[in-house]
Amino acid sequence: MAYIDLGVDEKEFPGITGPMRYRPETAKPLNELAEVLLRAPHSLPAGERELIAAYVSGRNDCNFCCASHSAFAAAQLDEGMALVDQVRADLDTAPISAKLRALLRIAGAVQISGRSVTTELVADARAEGATDLEIHDTVLIAAAFCMFNRYVDGLGTFAPAGQDAYAESVRRIIEVGYESAVPLQPTTAPAN
């Protein structure tokens, strides 16, 4: 149970969806940011951007965000959950492109601290073909997911167990995106 009364059934609105229904004013810009970073047209496929979100969330031990974004990534990557699990288990040996591996190393550095990103990490990503936009957005996805992870875990929200629990969310996100996936109508007015 969340640390505050979100006014929703947490099994129906787990993880970040409960707090977003609780405060639709803050949910709107957060969902817009997720939509731009993870789904908008981009040189990195949506599945790879979701993989960055899942990777950072896993490193932050955020069960809800890691499980949900792992599922979103798997649904959009040809190799599915097997690849997501390989990346999360051992980035160095996972069967991904050298460019994606370099970008995930940058994301991992951001997860530790923005100051952990080095000129060498950026040079390595560029050497593997990463563009400035891809480097920028990798840093922003990683930073945003550190925030999202702390939002979810800082309120102690419920995280369903097992990948089957995320199947409906996967369908909604892929079909309608982040901005429309969760109706943002609070069930009760937030207390002051």
Side-chain angles (χ1 to χ4, degrees), residues 11-45:
K11 290 197 175 10
E12 184 179 351
F13 297 99
I16 202 166
T17 62
M20 286 192 167
R21 284 192 52 105
Y22 179 78
R23 285 282 281 156
E25 308 87 340
T26 58
K28 185 178 184 309
L30 293 175
N31 277 325
E32 289 170 349
L33 178 61
E35 184 71 19
V36 168
L37 291 176
L38 301 175
R39 292 180 35 89
H42 200 283
S43 54
L44 286 178

Side-chain angles (χ1 to χ4, degrees), residues 26-103:
T26 58
K28 185 178 184 309
L30 293 175
N31 277 325
E32 289 170 349
L33 178 61
E35 184 71 19
V36 168
L37 291 176
L38 301 175
R39 292 180 35 89
H42 200 283
S43 54
L44 286 178
E48 290 183 3
R49 289 178 279 159
E50 290 284 1
L51 184 58
I52 294 168
Y55 181 72
V56 169
S57 297
R59 289 174 57 104
N60 281 326
D61 294 320
C62 182
N63 294 333
F64 176 80
C65 293
C66 182
S68 60
H69 291 280
S70 290
F72 302 157
Q76 297 175 81
L77 294 168
D78 291 339
E79 303 85 354
M81 190 58 75
L83 178 64
V84 174
D85 290 342
Q86 287 175 302
V87 166
R88 293 196 49 246
D90 187 357
L91 179 60
D92 292 333
T93 63
I96 57 174
S97 71
K99 178 174 95 171
L100 181 56
R101 188 178 334 278
L103 291 171

Side-chain angles (χ1 to χ4, degrees), residues 125-143:
R126 283 191 177 123
E128 297 301 344
T131 66
D132 285 353
L133 176 64
E134 291 165 343
I135 294 166
H136 172 277
D137 284 7
T138 295
V139 169
L140 188 51
I141 291 167

